[in-house]
Every structure is written in structure tokens, then in C-alpha cells.
């Protein structure tokens, strides 16, 4: 799923954008935190990605998944609702 998100990110942002580089590194850090079971840290990093590129739904899905794993269900719900809208 991480590769899909990076591919969609590349399509969503201009190739020369410094924001693209920042989002890619932040997304990678977020996934690393998720894999290390640091779910709240992962959610915060993925939230930054979602806010910078709201047109990429994978960021919100990963953020919500991290929040669910952290048992922060009330925080996950509005993120999921925003992705679905």
C-alpha cells in the first residue's frame, strides 16, 4: 500500500515541488513508525501528509488505521469520514 500512496503522490504534485519531497519523506517516516507500532507518532506524521495533499486518500486511510491501532477510535472517525467525502 505504501508504494501505491507514493505513486499517487507523484501524480498529484508537480515533479519539482519541494512539498513533494517533504511529503514523501514524512509518509515514509509515518509508515516506519506504524510498522514499529508507534501508532500515535505514525498518525501525526500521516496527518501532516493528509493536510498537505488532501487529494491523496491513502494518507487519511493510513492515518485512520494508525489511530484505530492506537485505540483512538473517536479521532479516527472524522478522518475516515473526510476520506469518504
Amino acid at each position: 500500500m505504501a508504494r501505491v500512496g507514493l505513486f499517487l503522490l507523484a501524480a498529484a504534485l508537480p515533479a519539482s515541488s519541494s512539498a513533494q519531497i517533504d511529503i514523501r519523506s514524512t509518509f515514509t517516516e509515518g509508515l516506519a513508525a506504524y510498522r514499529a507500532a508507534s501508532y500515535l507518532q505514525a498518525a501525526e506524521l500521516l496527518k501532516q501528509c493528509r493536510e498537505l495533499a488532501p487529494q491523496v486518500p491513502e494518507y487519511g486511510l493510513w492515518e485512520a488505521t494508525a489511530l484505530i491501532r492506537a485505540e483512538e477510535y473517536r479521532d479516527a472517525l472524522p478522518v475516515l469520514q473526510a476520506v469518504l467525502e
Side-chain angles (χ1 to χ4, degrees), residues 2 4 26 28 30 32-34 39 48 54 61 67 71 75-76 79 81 84:
V4 172
T26 303
T28 301
Y34 181 89
Y39 301 120
Q48 293 173 27
L61 291 174
L67 289 167
E71 299 182 358
D75 293 335
V79 175
Q81 287 174 328
L84 294 173

Side-chain angles (χ1 to χ4, degrees), residues 8-71:
L8 291 173
L9 169 65
L13 296 174
S16 62
S17 172
S18 63
Q20 181 179 16
I21 296 167
D22 292 339
I23 292 174
R24 282 186 181 184
S25 64
T26 303
F27 184 62
T28 301
E29 289 176 43
L31 291 181
Y34 181 89
R35 289 185 184 116
S38 297
Y39 301 120
L40 291 177
Q41 178 187 6
E44 184 57 39
L45 291 164
L46 296 162
K47 178 181 179 180
Q48 293 173 27
C49 295
R50 180 178 53 86
E51 289 174 344
L52 289 170
Q55 71 276 21
V56 182
E58 283 77 8
Y59 299 147
L61 291 174
W62 275 106
E63 177 191 355
T65 302
L67 289 167
I68 290 167
R69 294 297 300 256
E71 299 182 358

